[in-house]
Amino acid sequence: LFAEAPVVEFSVVELERPVAPEEVWAAGVTYEISEQAREEESGMADVYLDVYDAERPEIFFKATPSRTVGPGGAIGVRGDSDWNVPEPELGLVLYDGEIVGYTVGNDVSSREIEGANPLYLPQAKVYDRCCSIGPCVVGAGSVPDPHDLGMSMRIERDGETVYDDATSTAEMARTCEELADCWRAHNAVPELGVLLTGTSLVPEGEFTLQPGDTVRIDIEGIGELVNPVVEV
């Protein structure tokens, strides 16, 4: 189940998910760029600033198995939103609540819906094809430091690159263990779950994904997750 080395690159064909979590959860506002972006999109910016500096992180339910696709599977953008973005994230693979591996995740989201009102977060985050994970799971023992991994995202449209940037998980304001602890606390967690650790890169301004785009997310030592985009 858990690979000890990254897989080789592959063309954009749909592959099975490397792990089939019973639930996917996600953390929010764990990178400064994410906090800034959430402030920008919202009329209640202090809500996000308070979370970034707070003792308790934001942890929310993201996806069921039927809403989660693997490498090459089409991720979805909502047809009732004009501002949709990919969110590249390091994913923790947890068995009985313990971190056993790492994967790449894409927490596709509607910035327009969430920005209209924070109470709309579930609609902005949870819908058909809202999440992708892959291309593999690397065992926890094969990642010396999950808080020091290079990460990049490239978005292609009609054969052109329309977004390309890179960062590092060293920019994450919280640790993987802290987020896992909060996910487990007072919660009946599933036997096998994935916890996405927060958005590390955010396209500037009002950039929005379009059907036909391709999103490529690469995390050092894990691999590249590639997904085309469709409207749902």
Side-chain angles (χ1 to χ4, degrees), residues 96-120:
D96 282 343
E98 299 300 321
I99 300 171
V100 296
Y102 301 94
T103 191
V104 182
N106 189 347
D107 168 20
V108 194
S109 305
S110 166
R111 293 186 67 182
E112 178 182 20
I113 292 174
E114 182 182 1
N117 191 313
L119 294 179
Y120 295 159

Side-chain angles (χ1 to χ4, degrees), residues 119-150:
L119 294 179
Y120 295 159
L121 179 69
Q123 297 171 72
K125 293 286 189 179
V126 185
Y127 56 87
D128 189 27
R129 298 180 177 272
C130 64
C131 180
S132 64
I133 55 174
C136 67
V137 174
V138 175
S142 295
V143 178
D145 185 359
H147 308 101
D148 189 23
L149 301 175

Side-chain angles (χ1 to χ4, degrees), residues 5-153:
V7 298
V8 296
E9 289 189 0
F10 53 90
S11 58
V12 184
V13 295
E14 186 165 1
L15 303 175
E16 291 293 326
R17 290 166 295 172
V19 62
E22 298 169 61
E23 298 174 356
V24 179
W25 290 64
V29 202
T30 58
Y31 289 80
E32 184 176 6
I33 191 172
S34 176
E35 180 260 322
Q36 292 170 347
R38 302 275 284 273
E39 284 190 83
E40 176 187 341
E41 76 190 19
S42 176
M44 290 169 265
D46 287 348
V47 171
Y48 301 107
L49 182 60
D50 290 345
V51 169
Y52 184 73
D53 292 329
E55 180 179 352
R56 179 190 294 271
E58 177 191 16
I59 302 287
F60 58 89
F61 182 79
K62 173 59 185 176
T64 58
S66 65
R67 295 178 174 90
T68 305
V69 303
I75 51 175
V77 291
R78 292 184 61 123
D80 60 353
S81 170
D82 292 326
W83 192 9
N84 304 286
V85 295
E87 298 190 357
E89 309 195 14
L90 174 67
L92 311 180
V93 180
L94 302 109
Y95 184 80
D96 282 343
E98 299 300 321
I99 300 171
V100 296
Y102 301 94
T103 191
V104 182
N106 189 347
D107 168 20
V108 194
S109 305
S110 166
R111 293 186 67 182
E112 178 182 20
I113 292 174
E114 182 182 1
N117 191 313
L119 294 179
Y120 295 159
L121 179 69
Q123 297 171 72
K125 293 286 189 179
V126 185
Y127 56 87
D128 189 27
R129 298 180 177 272
C130 64
C131 180
S132 64
I133 55 174
C136 67
V137 174
V138 175
S142 295
V143 178
D145 185 359
H147 308 101
D148 189 23
L149 301 175
M151 183 185 301
S152 65
M153 179 170 69

Side-chain angles (χ1 to χ4, degrees), residues 133-172:
I133 55 174
C136 67
V137 174
V138 175
S142 295
V143 178
D145 185 359
H147 308 101
D148 189 23
L149 301 175
M151 183 185 301
S152 65
M153 179 170 69
R154 186 167 81 251
I155 304 172
E156 300 165 350
R157 178 176 300 159
D158 299 326
E160 301 288 335
T161 297
V162 293
Y163 176 87
D164 192 0
D165 204 356
T167 187
S168 168
T169 58
E171 298 298 317
M172 188 162 57

